Amino acid sequence: MPESFINVVWLVPFFPAASALLMLLVGRRLSRPVISWLCCGTVFLSFLVSVGVFFELLRLPATDRLREVSLFTWIPSLPLLSEAGTQSFQVEWAYLVDPLSAVMILVVSGVGFLIHVYSIGYMAHEGGYYRYFGYLNLFMFMMLTLVLANNLLLMFIGWEGVGLCSYLLIGFWFLKKSAADAGKKAFVVNRIGDAGFLLGIFLTATTFGTLSFVGVNSILAGGQFAAGSSAITAITILLFIGATGKSAQLPLYVWLPDAMEGPTPVSALIHAATMVTAGVYMVARTNALYRLAPFTLEVVAIVGAVTAIYAASMAMVQTDIKRVLAYSTISQLGYMFLACGVGAFAAGIFHLSTHAYFKALLFLGSGAVIHALAGEQDIRKMGGLWAKLPITGKTFLVAALAIAGIPPLAGFFSKDEILWRAFANGNWLVWGLGTVTALMTAFYMLRLVILTFFGGSRRSPEVEHHLHEAPRSMTVPLILLAGLSIVGGLVGIPAVLGGGNRFEHFLEPVFGHAAAAPSHALEFVLMVLSVVVGLLGILVAYVFYLKRPEIPAQLARRFSGLHQLVYNKYYVDEVYSKVFVEGPVLGKAMGDTFGRFDLKVIDGIGVDGSAWLTRFTSQLSIWWDTWIVDGAVNLVGWTVWILNWPARALQTGLVQRYALWMAAGVALLLFYYVQRYILGS
C-alpha cells in the first residue's frame, strides 16, 4: 500500500508509550528479562517504523515530501481574535511527516534503542529496574511526540514531558541528596525557559490565528509580514528563551552539568538524542519565522558562539569524566545554535545528527569506564586503561577524534559546514569564536582520552582488583555507535570534496535551497585551517599530558587565579544560589545604601547589610501582596458592596420587610392620588 508507513507514523511514539504504561502499572511483577525485552523491543519497533517512514518519504518527489497525519481534534473550533481578524481556532492531535521530522525520529529511536540495550548491562544490579525502563520509555514517547508534532501546542506537550522525565531520571537515585537536588534544579531552571516558550505560543496564536507549522508557514509565504516585524521578533525571542533552557545555553545552562547525577545511560540519552536537542529542533522547525527576524538571528548566533567557547573553557579543566562531557555538550549545542543563527539550519541539524552518534558513544564509553572502576569518575585516578579495556578505549578514541573534527569522521563534515557557512555569510566574529572553540574541543577531548586510557596507572589496589571490560550488552552498542561516528558524516560530503551534500539537499523542502559557495578555493582553505586547528589542539594535549605532564601543574600554579575561576565554573552556580535560592544578596554596600531609609530595623540586631536586604525585600514582598495584590482585589469587592447598597436594602429575603415596603408603596400611591385628584380639584 502506498505510504503505508507514513499513515501509521503514530506507531512511532505509541510503542514506547505502551511499554512505559505497562512498566509503571505492572512492571514490579515482571522479571528483568521480560522488562528488558519489552522496553528495548518497543523502541526497536519504533525504529523500524521510522526507517519505513524515511524510505517512503525518500521515494516521493522532493516537492511532495510533506504529510500531516491527524488522529483526532484536540481543541475544537473556537473563535479567536488575531491580527488577521476573527478566525476559527482549532488544534489537532496530528503528526507532521517531512524530511526534518523523518531525520529526527531516526536519530531519536535509533540512538535511543542502543542506549536501552546498553542499560540492560549497566543497570543489571540496580534496584528499581522496571521504574528505570518505564521512565526511559516515557522519555522516548515524549521526545518522539515533540519532533513529530504538527503544531506548537502539541510540541509543548512533548517539551514539558521530556522536562518531567529528565526530573525523574536525573533524580532516579532519589535517596542520594545530590541526585534529588540535581533533578529539582533541572526542573526549575527549565520552567524559566518554558515560560518564554509558552508566551511565544500565545503570541503566535493571536498573531496568526493558528499554531500549525504548515498554517503559519503558509501565512508567512503570503507576504503579510515584513522582515523585522515587531510581532515576529517578539515571537522568535520568546521561543528562543525556551530553547536556551532546554538546550542549556547562556544563561540557563547550569542544570546540565548537575544532570550527571543520574545513571550514565540517562546522561547519554539526554545529551545525545533527546532533551537538549529539542531547543535546536524547535528553532529549526520554526525557521520561516526566524528568517523574518534578523535581530533574533543575530542573538541566536552570538549566544551560541559565546556559549560554545565559554563551556569549552570549563571542559578544559574539569576532572570528573562525565562533567567534561557535560560541558562539551553545552559547547556543541552552542555550535548548533551558531549554525541556526547564521541561517545554516540544515548544517545545524546535520551537526545535531552526527553529535548524537559520538556524544552517545562518549557517555556510554565513560559509563563503561566507571563500571569497570567500581564507580570512580575522577580522571586523576585513572590512567593505563587502554590495554585493560580495549573495546571501550578504541571506541572512545574514535568518538573523541570525531568531536575534534578530524577527517573523515562524522564530526569533521558537520562542524566544517557550520564554520564555512558562518564565514561565507559574513559573520566573521562568530566564525572566529567557532574556530577557537574547535581548538579547545580537540585539546580537552584528547586530554580526557590521555588521562583516562594512557600513561601510568593511578588507580587504587581495590579498583585494580575490580577492573574488567564491560559485558557484551554494553560493548556492542559502543561498537555500533563507533561505526556511525566513522561513516555518519558521509551523507554530507560537500561539493568541494567531490560530494553532493545529500543531507542538505534532502532537507531543502523544509529549509529551502542553500546559497551556493562563493568560492570553492576559499572553502577548501578554511577546511584545511579547521583540520590544522584540531590537530594543533591534539598535539598540545599530547605534549601536556603524555610527554611533559608537569606543564599543566606549572601553568595552574602560575595562573592560579584564572585556573581557580575556570575550575569553579566562574562561580555562576554560587551567584545563582545566593541571588535566587537563598535570597537577593547584593552585598554590604547595597545593604548600607538601603539601610538609611530605616535604621531602626537593624538597630541592635547585629546583621550585615546583605542579611538586612534579604529581610527588607521579604517585608516588602509581604506588604506588596497584602496591600497591592490583595488590596486591589478587595477594593473591587468594597466598591461593588457600596454601590449595591440600595438593592441590598430592598432585597433582604424577609417577608415582613417586603410587606412593609408594599404597604408603604400603597400609602405613597394613595397620598399622591388624594393630593392630585381630590385636594387638587
Side-chain angles (χ1 to χ4, degrees), residues 101 128 254 262 315 472 584:
S101 61
V254 292
R472 289 180 62 83

Side-chain angles (χ1 to χ4, degrees), residues 27 124 126 205 207 227 287 309 497 632:
E126 296 290 341
T207 302
N287 69 90
I309 196 168
L497 295 180

Side-chain angles (χ1 to χ4, degrees), residues 5-323:
F5 280 106
I6 293 177
N7 291 331
V8 295
V9 69
W10 55 270
L11 288 174
V12 175
F14 172 78
F15 285 131
S19 58
L21 183 62
L22 189 63
M23 289 302 105
L24 300 178
L25 290 178
V26 298
R28 186 187 295 270
R29 301 181 181 180
L30 301 177
S31 66
R32 294 199 173 206
V34 171
I35 293 171
S36 302
W37 277 100
L38 277 173
C39 294
C40 295
T42 50
V43 177
F44 184 66
L45 290 175
S46 293
F47 174 68
L48 291 180
V49 176
S50 300
V51 172
V53 169
F54 175 79
F55 281 107
E56 277 188 2
L57 204 65
L58 202 60
R59 286 196 295 268
L60 296 173
T63 56
D64 196 33
R65 290 174 182 170
L66 189 149
R67 295 288 186 274
E68 291 186 279
V69 180
S70 178
L71 299 187
F72 55 87
T73 299
W74 182 16
I75 298 178
S77 181
L78 298 170
L80 177 68
L81 182 62
S82 68
E83 291 192 10
T86 302
Q87 299 184 19
S88 178
F89 178 77
Q90 181 174 308
V91 179
E92 301 283 331
W93 191 288
Y95 297 128
L96 177 63
V97 180
D98 67 355
L100 179 57
S101 61
V103 168
M104 291 300 297
I105 60 177
L106 272 177
V107 171
V108 172
S109 60
V111 176
F113 169 68
L114 295 177
I115 294 172
H116 272 67
V117 173
Y118 178 95
S119 296
I120 296 173
Y122 192 88
M123 301 295 291
H125 305 293
E126 296 290 341
Y129 193 77
Y130 77 95
R131 181 167 54 90
Y132 170 82
F133 274 99
Y135 293 163
L136 218 58
N137 278 35
L138 183 62
F139 205 148
M140 294 294 295
F141 163 68
M142 291 298 181
M143 188 63 192
L144 290 167
T145 298
L146 189 157
V147 300
L148 281 171
N150 87 321
N151 62 78
L152 277 169
L153 194 58
L154 183 56
M155 175 185 278
F156 187 71
I157 294 298
W159 188 275
E160 290 300 294
V162 294
L164 169 65
C165 293
S166 70
Y167 164 75
L168 295 173
L169 286 166
I170 293 169
F172 177 76
W173 290 313
F174 53 84
L175 295 178
K176 183 181 176 184
K177 187 178 185 304
S178 59
D181 289 345
K184 289 183 286 187
K185 185 176 182 179
F187 191 82
V188 171
V189 173
N190 273 278
R191 297 294 73 71
I192 298 170
D194 294 353
F197 187 21
L198 194 57
L199 290 173
I201 292 174
F202 293 154
L203 188 54
T204 301
T206 55
T207 302
F208 297 100
T210 180
L211 293 176
S212 165
F213 298 122
V214 174
V216 170
N217 291 348
S218 176
I219 293 172
L220 293 175
Q224 299 181 31
F225 293 88
S229 162
S230 58
I232 302 295
T233 301
I235 290 171
T236 51
I237 286 288
L238 288 169
L239 293 179
F240 182 61
I241 291 172
T244 60
K246 198 67 71 182
S247 293
Q249 298 294 283
L250 284 167
L252 300 179
Y253 70 93
V254 292
W255 67 270
L256 194 58
D258 288 355
M260 300 302 95
E261 293 291 341
T264 301
V266 171
S267 302
L269 192 62
I270 290 176
H271 286 246
T274 57
M275 181 170 172
V276 297
T277 63
V280 179
Y281 170 77
M282 184 263 287
V283 171
R285 171 57 73 192
T286 54
N287 69 90
L289 285 167
Y290 279 88
R291 291 183 191 277
L292 292 177
F295 171 76
T296 308
L297 283 179
E298 289 184 10
V299 172
V300 173
I302 292 171
V303 169
V306 173
T307 302
I309 196 168
Y310 173 77
S313 68
M314 291 181 281
M316 292 171 66
V317 298
Q318 293 300 306
T319 55
D320 184 304
I321 186 172
K322 289 174 67 176
R323 285 188 179 270

Side-chain angles (χ1 to χ4, degrees), residues 1 66 176 193 295 314 422 427 452 456 464 495 657:
M1 180 184 296
L66 189 149
K176 183 181 176 184
F295 171 76
M314 291 181 281
N427 299 88
T452 303
E464 196 72 38
R657 185 67 58 85

